[in-house]
């Protein structure tokens, strides 16, 4: 398989600006309507080009997806590593969450394909450098990064699912809670679910950011003591 990153037509000296225009148009479509709406024909229409002409810059849809993934990881270049592994990895996680929330389609692609473009590799290199302050063992460092990424993907997936539910039903979370309140009162009154009742009646509510930060703190504390 020929990778897009290794082929001459994608050298910055040649068609970089044209490729960038195609990629940005594709990202705009995916952000607004999801990956199902993304096709070479649709992107061609967006950039006011014939579909055949588009293939001069991008060989196929899979190649376009690779370019899109790398482009969005380049939106927020990684910061300098401070040497405080806990703070540095926390910032890595927060930056990943920010990017995934801006581009709701990205998580699906991260779970299904490696990202080997220059922006992705630069970010991974910086993350490995941050993890090196925790452990010089590169295998363990890579495992920590993978686990951190899995946590971020899972947390963001839940947040995006709530956004999708609101879009699909036309109800905010608060409106949904109000709609199920009569049923919950019946459940509580039955006495059949005491722990669930405690959760509903006594527990405070964390928003998505607070929940994310709580989980992140727990994960990093666990990593520190792991063998």
């Amino acid at each position: 398989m020929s990778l897009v990153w290794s082929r001459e037509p994608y050298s910055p000296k040649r068609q970089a600006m044209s490729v960038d225009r195609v990629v940005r148009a594709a990202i705009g479509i995916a952000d607004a309507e999801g990956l199902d709406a993304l096709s070479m024909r649709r992107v061609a229409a967006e950039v006011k080009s014939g579909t055949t002409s588009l293939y001069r810059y991008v060989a196929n849809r899979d190649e376009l997806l690779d370019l899109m993934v790398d482009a969005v990881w380049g939106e927020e270049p990684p910061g300098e590593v401070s040497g405080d592994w806990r703070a540095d990895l926390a910032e890595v996680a927060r930056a990943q969450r920010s990017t995934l929330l801006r581009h709701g389609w990205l998580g699906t692609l991260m779970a299904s394909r490696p990202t080997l473009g220059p922006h992705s590799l630069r970010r991974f290199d910086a993350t490995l450098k941050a993890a090196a302050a925790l452990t010089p063992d590169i295998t363990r460092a890579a495992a920590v990064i993978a686990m951190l990424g899995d946590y971020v993907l899972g947390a963001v997936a839940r947040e995006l699912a709530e956004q999708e539910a609101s879009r699909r039903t036309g109800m905010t979370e608060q409106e949904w809670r109000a709609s199920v309140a009569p049923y919950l009162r019946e459940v509580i009154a039955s006495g059949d679910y005491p722990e669930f009742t405690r959760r509903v009646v006594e527990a405070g509510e964390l928003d998505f950011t607070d929940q994310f930060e709580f989980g992140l703190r727990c994960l990093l504390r666990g990593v520190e003591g792991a063998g």
Side-chain angles (χ1 to χ4, degrees):
M1 184 179 71
S2 177
L3 291 177
V4 61
W5 320 111
S6 61
R7 292 206 301 276
E8 176 61 20
Y10 299 93
S11 165
K13 295 180 180 179
R14 295 189 62 184
Q15 297 175 338
M17 290 303 294
S18 296
V19 172
D20 183 68
R21 182 180 173 209
V22 170
V23 171
R24 286 297 159 192
I27 290 171
I29 293 168
D31 285 349
E33 303 174 45
L35 288 178
D36 288 345
L38 185 68
S39 67
M40 298 295 278
R41 184 185 298 274
R42 177 68 188 282
V43 175
E46 192 72 19
V47 298
K48 296 179 173 54
S49 166
T51 305
T52 302
S53 298
L54 198 67
Y55 288 105
R56 295 169 51 200
Y57 305 107
V58 182
N60 51 50
R61 186 176 184 272
D62 282 343
E63 188 168 285
L64 179 59
L65 292 174
D66 286 338
L67 290 164
M68 290 165 61
V69 169
D70 196 61
V72 298
W73 284 128
E75 290 174 350
E76 294 182 25
E80 291 296 322
V81 173
S82 71
D84 179 340
W85 68 267
R86 191 190 299 271
D88 288 338
L89 291 182
E91 283 306 306
V92 166
R94 292 176 188 126
Q96 287 183 351
R97 176 177 180 253
S98 175
T99 301
L100 286 162
L101 288 174
R102 281 199 310 276
H103 306 289
W105 48 270
L106 179 58
T108 300
L109 298 183
M110 283 183 64
S112 63
R113 61 175 63 216
T115 52
L116 300 174
H119 294 304
S120 303
L121 291 176
R122 192 172 296 113
R123 179 172 294 277
F124 187 64
D125 205 65
T127 307
L128 276 174
K129 186 176 180 181
L134 168 66
T135 174
D137 184 334
I138 192 65
T139 301
R140 184 182 173 207
V144 167
I145 291 170
M147 181 172 60
L148 188 66
D150 288 344
Y151 168 71
V152 177
L153 277 173
V156 169
R158 181 169 173 266
E159 192 166 352
L160 291 174
E162 170 58 33
Q163 294 176 11
E164 173 59 20
S166 295
R167 185 200 64 78
R168 189 177 64 251
T169 64
M171 299 171 65
T172 66
E173 184 177 4
Q174 290 71 26
E175 290 170 337
W176 177 82
R177 288 175 183 272
S179 73
V180 301
Y183 171 71
L184 288 180
R185 284 193 289 270
E186 293 177 11
V187 169
I188 292 169
S190 74
D192 293 336
Y193 311 98
E195 295 307 315
F196 177 76
T197 296
R198 288 188 64 224
R199 166 65 179 88
V200 173
V201 175
E202 300 177 24
E205 290 294 336
L206 299 178
D207 64 21
F208 283 113
T209 297
D210 289 339
Q211 185 66 49
F212 179 83
E213 291 293 331
F214 172 74
L216 182 59
R217 288 194 300 273
C218 291
L219 186 148
L220 293 177
R221 286 171 186 164
V223 162
E224 185 174 23

